[in-house]
Amino acid sequence: DAGVTQSPTHLIKTRGQQVTLRCSPKSGHDTVSWYQQALGQGPQFIFQYYEEEERQRGNFPDRFSGHQFPNYSSELNVNALLLGDSALYLCASSRQGRNTEAFFGQGTRLTVV
Amino acid sequence: GEDVEQSLFLSVREGDSSVINCTYTDSSSTYLYWYKQEPGAGLQLLTYIFSNMDMKQDQRLTVLLNKKDKHLSLRIADTQTGDSAIYFCAETFGGSYIPTFGRGTSLIVHP
């Protein structure tokens, strides 16, 4: 079992550009959540996907959007990048009804210059 | 509102016990969690406790919950250098399973 995998591991983008991050959940998991972790901070919840729909959303602007595919994998899209979007983006997967046990991926380190 | 607070740093000697503390503000917390993050890595769920419990033990880890004071602690017995990491306290509320995280406590274990 590969666990939760995220790609890419690192990337650098310019202000104003758009970025797509990808996540494959742990085998048997159907729910994917995305978090932003700024340097020196705890993870902040962005949104959660289940059955290909956004189910819950944190306090993030509409520039942050996502998608879940039929195989449960997910993408996070960020438009019009700002310097403040530089962070570690974490994906967590879980099973509906067993959300107490969420498994996190290694994260994607995004640097906006 | 939701708020989870932790001290930022803890330094211990190898072989000693470590105690990492956390306070939270919402009395309707459902579950309380401890996660570990090693440098350059994602978060690893260490353990969690349901809000109607006051203690949970799992090998070297002991979690204590004081609901009256809204205080959660994680004790690591016989701390090893491999335990050096950032430890995050987190809580969920009601029917939501979205954890709210603290800023993390950086545990440094020295010989």
Side-chain angles (χ1 to χ4, degrees), chain A residues 18-35:
Chain A
Q18 179 264 346
V19 69
T20 298
L21 311 181
R22 295 177 176 81
C23 173
S24 292
K26 181 177 168 65
S27 178
H29 286 185
D30 55 11
T31 301
V32 174
S33 302
W34 285 93
Y35 293 81

Side-chain angles (χ1 to χ4, degrees), chain A residues 35 37 45 99-101 104-105, chain B residues 33 37 42-43 48 97-99 102:
Chain A
Y35 293 81
Q37 185 179 16
F45 173 70
N99 287 334
T100 52
E101 297 181 7
F104 282 79
Chain B
Y33 303 78
Q37 186 176 38
L43 272 69
Y48 64 92
Y97 292 101
I98 308 301

Side-chain angles (χ1 to χ4, degrees), chain A residues 9-76:
Chain A
T9 54
H10 298 82
L11 75 166
I12 300 173
K13 289 285 189 178
T14 304
R15 275 181 299 175
Q17 284 189 313
Q18 179 264 346
V19 69
T20 298
L21 311 181
R22 295 177 176 81
C23 173
S24 292
K26 181 177 168 65
S27 178
H29 286 185
D30 55 11
T31 301
V32 174
S33 302
W34 285 93
Y35 293 81
Q36 180 195 66
Q37 185 179 16
L39 199 60
Q41 303 293 320
Q44 299 291 314
F45 173 70
I46 303 174
F47 43 54
Q48 182 182 81
Y49 276 84
Y50 170 64
E51 290 185 330
E52 302 179 49
E53 289 188 13
E54 183 182 296
R55 299 292 179 166
Q56 295 191 60
R57 190 178 183 93
N59 188 25
F60 278 81
D62 292 344
R63 297 187 297 109
F64 290 77
S65 63
H67 190 77
Q68 185 179 34
F69 299 94
N71 66 353
Y72 308 119
S73 67
S74 177
E75 289 181 349
L76 163 66

